[in-house]
Amino acid sequence: MDGRVVALRDGYEARPISLEAYREACARLEGRIFGGGSLYAFDPPTKAPRPLGESFQWGLYHGENLIGWHHAHQQGERAVYMADTGILPEHQGKGLYTRLLPHLLDTFREAGYTLVQSHHRATNNRVIVPKLRAGFFLQGLNLYEGGVNVALTLSLDGGYREAMHVRSGFRQASGEVARRLGLGDVAGRAAQGEPVSVSLPAGTEPAFDLGDGYTVHTVSNDVYREVYAQLESCAYDTATFDWGETPRLPRPDTPTFAWLIARGGEVVGWHSARGWDERTLYMSNTALLPGHRGRGLYTRLLAHLLTTFRDEGYTVVRSHHHATNNAVLVPKLRAGFVIAGLEVNHHGVMAVLVHSFDPVYREYLDARSGLTRPKGEVARRLGLPSHSQEPHPKEKSHV
């Protein structure tokens, strides 16, 4: 892409521009693009900036009008950092960023980089979702001058990508990846494709119809656990810590929900959930057997589950997922969940997701991340004045 004009359909183009032209565009347009965010206004710097290294800049054009940009620069001997993307508000929501992204990644690959890194406000799903769909992984959260940032990394090397699955606990180590990590080769259980079939328990009526012959059936927690015990090894290839003991305390006495997903009279997946506190429902476990993935079942199931939880009176829905499990993170973020943390537990490195049925609380999460500034009811509930001033002219946010 570097040095070439790239057509992005619907009259949009990406054209290479100089670093000076990029900086001029930022100074002229960043208030219109990033003006709603919240940033800490530092005093003027006392130190000179570090050398930038190799950099990449493109202007985004609609006809002959500059409507946005992208800037990236070298981060080290292997990494390039996608530092800044901006698109004028009237041109957002048209899939422009999603169409631009593959061309950027091709350029970085051709330039010899192995890793592509970026940071984004933790609730900015409009950018996080297309990046996860492109293969980026969630690698961290940090509190910085603009709020709460999520760190994303894409590996252009297949081995390193698999190593991240191992690090998160999502997959067992094997082959070359195990060698590079200095670990023993553990044959993946799910990869072995152990043929296990469990019939749907008699007397269960469908609660939801997912189409294509798939139905979802309400069952007791005991029935769910019995089925789970039979099919767990078929559904997961994770590296979970074995406590090596039976829990000494009983399970908390909270409301529980359990469903089995069936097709042709056989169980092909499940979902369980339980109360977390007086406002929150915890989606504790979902699985589909390998032969039934990639068909949009989780997305269709999720809509029914969220309706059920809202009707039960919950305000917040919470869940944990392996940080590299984009097959679940993407549909959840598209459904309105936001990234609320990273946690290391006995399953591995887990992303914490939160969904709120309360629009004020959802706006609060955007304000807490720094994506927006507190105003109206959110400001009142935080005990703050409703801010309307423009951000510091020398500071801007990463899209």
Side-chain angles (χ1 to χ4, degrees):
M1 180 175 171
D2 192 24
R4 303 189 299 271
V5 174
V6 177
L8 299 174
R9 302 201 312 268
D10 302 325
Y12 292 99
E13 289 182 341
R15 306 174 190 171
I17 59 175
S18 67
L19 182 61
E20 292 71 23
Y22 154 70
R23 287 172 171 165
E24 185 278 328
C26 285
R28 181 164 51 90
L29 299 176
E30 65 184 5
R32 292 174 58 189
I33 296 174
F34 303 118
S38 171
L39 285 163
Y40 178 80
F42 281 109
D43 292 331
T46 59
K47 305 289 287 184
R50 67 179 183 179
L52 192 59
E54 183 179 24
S55 68
F56 306 82
Q57 292 77 224
W58 295 275
L60 303 180
Y61 290 83
H62 190 242
E64 292 305 311
N65 297 317
L66 179 71
I67 56 89
W69 58 76
H70 178 75
H71 163 68
H73 57 79
Q74 185 173 357
Q75 192 79 339
E77 67 272 23
R78 292 186 178 89
V80 62
Y81 183 62
M82 299 178 71
D84 185 30
T85 305
I87 300 173
L88 288 173
E90 58 268 31
H91 296 276
Q92 296 175 10
K94 300 182 179 182
L96 186 57
Y97 186 81
T98 299
R99 299 199 297 273
L100 172 68
L101 189 54
H103 299 288
L104 300 178
L105 299 180
D106 285 344
T107 297
F108 302 146
R109 185 181 293 107
E110 292 168 5
Y113 290 100
T114 304
L115 301 174
V116 184
Q117 300 172 334
S118 63
H119 288 81
H120 311 276
R121 300 288 172 75
T123 61
N124 191 1
N125 287 357
R126 288 191 302 175
V127 173
I128 294 171
V129 167
K131 284 209 159 175
L132 293 182
R133 293 181 70 182
F136 283 76
F137 284 151
L138 172 62
Q139 288 205 305
L141 287 173
N142 72 297
L143 187 64
Y144 84 125
E145 67 269 16
V148 181
N149 252 356
V150 59
L152 300 182
T153 295
L154 171 71
S155 173
L156 301 176
D157 175 271
Y160 186 86
R161 178 179 174 79
E162 287 302 307
M164 291 302 97
H165 282 312
V166 175
R167 289 295 195 203
S168 78
F170 186 52
R171 291 183 188 161
Q172 296 278 7
S174 62
E176 178 67 8
V177 172
R179 185 189 70 79
R180 294 201 180 200
L181 288 172
L183 303 174
D185 189 348
V186 181
R189 292 169 297 171
Q192 300 300 310
E194 300 172 8
V196 177
S197 175
V198 175
S199 297
L200 182 69
T204 59
E205 295 298 324
F208 317 130
D209 188 333
L210 300 183
D212 300 325
Y214 291 94
T215 52
V216 183
H217 303 254
T218 304
V219 295
S220 69
N221 201 45
D222 289 340
V223 169
Y224 151 70
R225 291 194 172 281
E226 180 181 341
V227 172
Y228 177 90
Q230 297 176 73
L231 292 176
E232 178 185 11
S233 63
C234 300
Y236 301 111
D237 186 31
T238 54
T240 296
F241 177 76
D242 182 357
W243 289 103
E245 63 177 7
T246 302
R248 293 185 292 273
L249 299 175
R251 290 183 177 276
D253 185 16
T254 59
T256 59
F257 305 84
W259 293 269
L260 297 179
I261 305 167
R263 192 183 196 209
E266 292 188 353
V267 176
V268 301
W270 56 79
H271 177 74
S272 70
R274 59 178 171 82
W276 180 276
D277 59 28
E278 64 272 23
R279 291 187 179 89
T280 308
L281 186 285
Y282 179 58
M283 299 178 70
S284 55
N285 187 256
T286 309
L288 290 166
L289 298 183
H292 302 273
R293 298 169 187 168
R295 304 182 184 188
L297 285 176
Y298 187 80
T299 298
R300 301 201 296 274
L301 173 67
L302 187 56
H304 289 289
L305 296 178
L306 291 177
T307 298
T308 299
F309 302 148
R310 183 178 60 241
D311 292 346
E312 287 286 335
Y314 290 99
T315 304
V316 176
V317 179
R318 179 184 178 92
S319 62
H320 291 73
H321 310 276
H322 285 96
T324 60
N325 189 2
N326 289 0
V328 171
L329 297 181
V330 167
K332 281 209 157 175
L333 294 178
R334 293 181 70 180
F337 284 77
V338 295
I339 298 167
L342 280 179
E343 175 184 300
V344 179
N345 64 19
H346 61 289
H347 292 300
V349 183
M350 313 297 285
V352 181
L353 300 187
V354 168
H355 183 287
S356 177
F357 300 120
D358 181 345
V360 178
Y361 190 75
R362 180 64 181 85
E363 290 178 19
Y364 157 77
L365 293 175
D366 283 337
R368 181 63 75 189
S369 79
L371 186 64
T372 61
R373 279 170 285 164
K375 59 183 183 296
E377 182 65 9
V378 172
R380 187 188 71 80
R381 295 198 191 188
L382 287 172
L384 301 172
S386 182
H387 296 289
S388 60
Q389 72 270 20
E390 288 301 308
H392 192 288
K394 295 300 184 183
E395 297 287 349
K396 64 176 181 295
S397 167
H398 304 308
V399 166

